[in-house]
Amino acid sequence: MNTLRYARNKDAYGLIKLIDNCFREYPNCILDVENEMTELLCIYSYFKKKNGHFWVIEKNKKIIGSMGVAPSKNNLELHKVYVTKNERRKGIARKLVLKAEKYAKKNNYKKIVLWSDTRFKEAHRMYLNLNYKKSPITRKLYDISKTTEFYFEKNIN
């Protein structure tokens, strides 16, 4: 059985393992916690400081999914939606994103926005199926992975 719960700072190891495994599926996609994603070491505190929330999904006491939300201008921004490979296509990411949408409605956000690595095509299909609009806007992160990201958004009514 899967359990959805708020993340805690002590989830760092499991969260890092989840994201590192996801990154390893793509060429030259490297997780550099010490220099580029230090927030993974204290995820609860990081999102609390941003007036946001971070959730994980556990199965057999292992983190198999994650997602954060935080205000961005007048929008709600999605962060770090990841699901371990052998648990994909079971509706876990969709459940997380729908939770974010419910949170957005409850807190009167008009739009959800997100950036997604151009390599994450499976995630892009899910966002498009959930009626997110992919913008022609991209951004380069100039990180160790040479990441370029697509911008997605969805109006919340």
Side-chain angles (χ1 to χ4, degrees), residues 83-95:
V83 175
T84 193
K85 189 173 186 175
N86 62 344
E87 294 294 333
R88 289 191 198 136
R89 298 177 192 243
K90 296 179 181 179
I92 293 171
R94 180 182 179 86
K95 178 180 179 179

Side-chain angles (χ1 to χ4, degrees), residues 20-77:
D20 186 50
N21 286 338
C22 290
F23 277 22
R24 288 174 185 268
E25 295 176 41
Y26 302 92
N28 304 313
C29 195
I30 302 158
L31 179 61
D32 182 356
V33 175
E34 293 77 22
N35 296 303
E36 296 176 349
M37 280 202 206
T38 56
E39 68 272 15
L40 296 178
L41 299 171
C42 54
I43 200 74
Y44 168 81
S45 298
Y46 177 82
F47 274 86
K48 182 175 171 122
K49 198 178 293 184
K50 292 177 66 113
N51 295 315
H53 297 284
F54 200 89
W55 293 272
V56 295
I57 293 186
E58 283 184 323
K59 181 178 181 179
N60 301 324
K61 300 190 179 189
K62 262 182 72 179
I63 294 175
I64 62 164
S66 69
M67 179 194 67
V69 295
S72 174
K73 300 180 183 161
N74 295 323
N75 304 317
L76 186 68
E77 186 168 354

Side-chain angles (χ1 to χ4, degrees), residues 71-129:
S72 174
K73 300 180 183 161
N74 295 323
N75 304 317
L76 186 68
E77 186 168 354
L78 280 180
H79 298 272
K80 297 177 182 21
V81 179
Y82 293 103
V83 175
T84 193
K85 189 173 186 175
N86 62 344
E87 294 294 333
R88 289 191 198 136
R89 298 177 192 243
K90 296 179 181 179
I92 293 171
R94 180 182 179 86
K95 178 180 179 179
L96 288 165
V97 174
L98 292 175
K99 178 162 189 66
E101 291 181 13
K102 186 175 178 183
Y103 177 87
K105 285 179 187 174
K106 181 180 174 187
N107 290 281
N108 300 312
Y109 288 100
K110 303 294 183 225
K111 191 181 288 186
I112 294 184
V113 300
L114 66 105
W115 292 94
S116 180
D117 190 307
T118 56
R119 294 170 274 206
F120 298 171
K121 292 179 180 13
E122 192 174 350
H124 304 158
R125 279 192 296 277
M126 179 200 60
Y127 293 126
L128 293 170
N129 286 335

